[in-house]
Amino acid sequence: MKKLIIINGPNLNLLGKRETNIYGNLSFSDFFERISNKYPNVTLEHYQSNVEGELIDKIQEVGYHYDGIILNAAAYTHTSIGIGDAVKAISTPVIEVHISNTFSREEFRHKSYISPNARGVVLGFGLQSYELAIQSFLD
Ligand code: DQA
């Protein structure tokens, strides 16, 4: 059984009420319940923090024995050398995910400190981006 974790960064705890025109109406907990039921053969966990260092701690904690990390570092994607370094340091593969198409938005969202060390990047498919990332770990 594959062991995967979704790690969400700042403000993603507000999904469902935050800029719903961009991020949709569904809360992450409702979405997480849906995908957990859909992939019963995967051990799927979820962690969210608004704090950069806590995200780094979690990446280090899981990064040597989980089968995959699905990481939406949110705004820290565009600013955090520390999260980028953590992704580089670990052995577990990371898929970078974004709900929105960051390349169709402001220029400051075009830069990612995660992408150079990610196995792949999925963006712009709404919450389905997470699901496509999960599928990439399945045979
Ligand atoms: C996001 C895109 C980021 O630019 C933004 O700061 C977010 C969410 C996304 O999932 O589309 O908070 O990572």
Side-chain angles (χ1 to χ4, degrees), residues 9-68:
N11 301 305
L12 292 171
N13 54 313
L14 298 179
L15 282 178
K17 8 181 205 214
R18 164 197 188 203
E19 297 179 273
T20 51
N21 56 321
I22 299 174
Y23 299 115
N25 295 305
L26 199 61
S27 71
F28 195 81
S29 57
D30 286 348
F31 172 72
F32 187 72
E33 195 182 326
R34 194 183 286 182
I35 47 170
S36 300
N37 292 335
K38 194 162 169 186
Y39 296 96
N41 296 326
V42 175
T43 303
L44 195 58
E45 290 175 21
H46 170 233
Y47 176 80
Q48 190 275 333
S49 176
N50 293 323
V51 181
E52 186 176 11
E54 288 181 358
L55 294 165
I56 294 170
D57 283 345
K58 182 53 86 174
I59 290 166
Q60 291 184 6
E61 182 191 315
V62 301
Y64 296 91
H65 58 285
Y66 280 47
D67 297 301

Side-chain angles (χ1 to χ4, degrees), residues 10-12 18 22-23 72-78 97-102 105 108-109 124 130:
N11 301 305
L12 292 171
R18 164 197 188 203
I22 299 174
Y23 299 115
N72 186 348
Y76 289 140
T77 306
H78 318 300
V97 158
H98 299 286
I99 298 163
S100 62
N101 177 355
T102 46
R105 301 180 64 194
F108 63 82
R109 296 185 204 276
Y130 291 97

